[in-house]
């Protein structure tokens, strides 16, 4: 069925989970939106619908990752499937296949690069043929970074006539933890890597999602260092291994609009002086995720904790002759839940309202500045030149 004649604009699959419920709560008041909540249990869907104050006539769809026919039926009914059901390497295979087969747009919160590489290899050509836009990583990993580099490079090209060959992503401040889904995905990835050595290669190669392109050597960004330009110590950032791969994929899909010699890394700033150095060294040797303290899937912070969270990421574009440009992306909620739920919701809405070339893609390549505009207008993100 053509997308324009489908029953729904967006179906939220996983609406009974913690993040899925936040997405449903965000969408419930969108005027004119044709949407539905989907999950395994009708009773739980009813419970969540009532809990978030959605209309009693909000459609409820039964779909289960273990029942491919139910996923195919769901994909046929909607323009976009928004899924929060991860780890995606465990629960996403049949859903991606159903969306590709039916020309249905898809967006998720995936931070699992080895699985993403497998889906690119399996489905990119077929998705181009069917018109399905398969948009991975539409939360804190990796929208602020993917779109931040996109907007920095636009600014650099306008100001200096060419994109910056060296870009640094630096997290200046962040309050709020990572999601239980992120922790579960990491554990699933490590378990998969133990069984398949090829996965290690996907995880360690910064260009593993770039469609066969291999660019210049990239900084490891895994040891504390002092950044003279920013006057602060910097240390490893836990989301860098997925974000950097998505940035390089966006660059490749856009015909290397950022340049074929792009060198990009991400680190977290910890401040100047001895205190900054000590903090950087502590972070470098202390696991931030993958411990007994990780939140479990389905768990999350209170509304107050989500509302009090935030993040501030600076992007620095550098040229061999010393020219520099600065661009900042900021979010008004905790990264793992409050802001992520708004980002993926706006990604789905943007997909539903736009046309574009099919393929296994990224927010930056598929939606670009259209998504930036939506996030600024509706989701509490700011994108701005600094200096």
């Amino acid at each position: 069925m053509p997308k324009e004649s489908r029953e729904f604009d967006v179906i939220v699959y996983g609406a009974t989970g913690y993040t899925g419920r936040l997405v449903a709560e965000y969408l419930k008041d969108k005027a004119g939106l044709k949407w539905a909540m989907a999950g395994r249990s009708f009773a739980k869907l009813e419970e969540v619908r009532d809990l978030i104050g959605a209309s009693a006539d909000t459609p409820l769809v039964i779909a289960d990752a273990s029942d491919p026919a139910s996923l195919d039926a769901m994909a046929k009914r909607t323009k976009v499937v928004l899924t929060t059901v991860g780890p995606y390497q465990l629960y996403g295979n049949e859903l991606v296949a159903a969306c590709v087969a039916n020309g249905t747009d898809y967006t998720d919160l995936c931070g699992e690069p080895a699985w993403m590489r497998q889906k690119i290899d399996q489905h990119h050509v077929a998705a181009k043929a069917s018109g399905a836009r398969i948009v991975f990583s539409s939360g804190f990993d990796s929208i602020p970074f993917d779109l931040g580099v996109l907007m920095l490079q636009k600014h650099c090209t306008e100001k200096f006539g060419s994109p910056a060959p060296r870009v640094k992503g630096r997290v200046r401040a962040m309050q709020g933890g990572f999601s239980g889904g992120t922790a579960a995905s990491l554990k699933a990835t490590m378990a998969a890597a133990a069984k398949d050595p090829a996965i290690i290669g996907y995880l360690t190669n910064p260009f593993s999602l770039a469609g066969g392109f291999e660019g210049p050597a990239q900084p490891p960004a895994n040891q504390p260092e002092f950044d003279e330009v920013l006057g602060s110590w910097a240390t490893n950032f836990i989301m860098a291994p997925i974000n950097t791969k998505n940035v390089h994929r966006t660059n490749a899909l856009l015909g290397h609009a950022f340049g074929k010699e792009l060198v990009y890394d991400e680190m977290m700033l910890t401040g100047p002086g001895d205190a900054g150095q000590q903090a950087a060294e502590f972070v470098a040797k202390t696991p931030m995720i993958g411990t007994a303290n990780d939140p479990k899937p389905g768990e999350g912070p209170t509304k107050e904790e989500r509302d009090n969270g935030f993040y501030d990421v600076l992007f620095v574009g550098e040229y061999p002759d010393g020219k520099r440009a600065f661009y900042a992306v900021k979010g008004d909620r905790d990264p793992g839940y409050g802001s992520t739920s708004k980002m993926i919701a706006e990604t789905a809405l943007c997909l539903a309202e736009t046309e574009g070339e099919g393929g296994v893609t990224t927010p930056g390549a598929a939606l670009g500045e259209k998504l930036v505009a939506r996030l600024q207008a509706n989701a509490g993100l700011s994108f701005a030149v600094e200096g």
Side-chain angles (χ1 to χ4, degrees), residues 7-13 15 24 27 33-38 45 58-61 77-78:
E7 184 178 357
F8 301 115
D9 298 318
V10 178
I11 291 180
V12 180
Y13 176 55
L27 293 178
L33 179 67
K34 298 183 295 182
W35 75 291
M37 299 166 57
L45 287 168
T58 301
L60 307 178
V61 175
R77 299 177 69 182
T78 186

Side-chain angles (χ1 to χ4, degrees), residues 49-357:
R49 179 194 64 195
D50 297 341
L51 179 67
I52 66 175
S55 172
D57 61 2
T58 301
L60 307 178
V61 175
I62 301 304
D64 190 328
S66 64
D67 180 4
S70 72
L71 301 177
D72 185 70
M74 176 173 67
K76 283 180 164 67
R77 299 177 69 182
T78 186
K79 294 179 182 177
V80 183
V81 172
L82 181 165
T83 174
T84 61
V85 181
Y88 297 96
Q89 60 199 280
L90 301 181
Y91 306 115
N93 291 305
E94 299 295 343
L95 179 56
V96 170
C99 288
V100 170
N102 289 288
T104 302
D105 292 339
Y106 162 106
T107 186
D108 69 16
L109 298 172
C110 187
E112 305 164 41
W115 181 77
M116 292 161 62
R117 168 61 186 269
Q118 293 166 356
K119 298 304 106 176
I120 292 167
D121 292 346
Q122 291 171 1
H123 295 300
H124 184 59
V125 173
K128 291 185 75 170
S130 74
R133 289 176 288 179
I134 307 300
V135 183
F136 296 137
S137 306
S138 299
F140 185 64
D141 50 334
S142 297
I143 277 180
F145 306 89
D146 185 24
L147 297 182
V149 174
L150 178 83
M151 297 305 291
L152 168 75
Q153 294 290 36
K154 179 190 178 188
H155 169 60
C156 285
T157 301
E158 291 172 349
K159 184 173 182 179
F160 299 124
S162 64
R166 172 73 172 105
V167 175
K168 299 188 294 189
R170 296 295 182 261
V171 180
R172 292 190 290 196
M174 186 173 70
Q175 181 167 307
F178 301 101
S179 72
T182 298
S185 292
L186 176 63
K187 292 172 184 175
T189 296
M190 292 301 101
K195 298 177 182 177
D196 182 0
I199 289 176
I200 299 297
Y202 297 154
L203 296 175
T204 56
N205 179 2
F207 297 99
S208 61
L209 305 183
F213 173 78
E214 293 288 339
Q218 304 289 304
N222 59 1
Q223 296 295 327
E225 62 180 49
F226 187 75
D227 190 312
E228 296 284 353
V229 173
L230 301 179
S232 174
W233 281 89
T235 193
N236 55 293
F237 176 53
I238 185 100
M239 309 309 296
I242 177 60
N243 294 337
T244 52
K245 293 176 179 61
N246 278 324
V247 166
H248 286 300
R249 179 155 183 79
T250 294
N251 189 28
L253 290 171
L254 293 177
H256 294 102
F258 310 156
K260 289 190 174 181
E261 297 303 312
L262 176 68
V263 175
Y264 174 66
D265 69 342
E266 293 175 2
M267 300 186 80
M268 184 166 59
L269 301 182
T270 57
D274 292 343
Q277 182 177 4
Q278 290 170 7
E281 292 171 348
F282 174 80
V283 171
K285 64 185 180 184
T286 304
M288 297 290 113
I289 199 168
T291 71
N293 296 322
D294 290 340
K296 303 296 185 293
E299 297 178 352
T302 65
K303 183 179 187 302
E304 182 180 13
E305 289 170 334
R306 296 195 306 269
D307 290 350
N308 288 335
F310 60 87
Y311 52 90
D312 174 358
V313 185
L314 179 69
F315 297 90
V316 184
E318 299 182 339
Y319 294 79
D321 62 2
K323 294 194 300 284
R324 291 189 179 89
F326 301 88
Y327 199 94
V329 178
K330 300 177 183 179
D332 70 343
R333 294 291 187 272
D334 77 297
Y337 299 93
S339 189
T340 279
S341 59
K342 295 191 291 183
M343 284 188 276
I344 192 173
E346 289 295 337
T347 301
L349 294 172
C350 198
L351 285 168
E353 295 176 8
T354 62
E355 298 291 333
E357 182 180 354

Side-chain angles (χ1 to χ4, degrees), residues 18-50:
Y18 185 93
T19 304
R21 176 170 60 82
L22 294 177
V23 172
E25 190 170 19
Y26 182 82
L27 293 178
K28 70 181 177 67
D29 296 321
K30 294 290 184 181
L33 179 67
K34 298 183 295 182
W35 75 291
M37 299 166 57
R40 291 179 297 174
S41 165
F42 192 84
K44 287 184 178 179
L45 287 168
E46 286 185 311
E47 180 183 348
V48 171
R49 179 194 64 195
D50 297 341

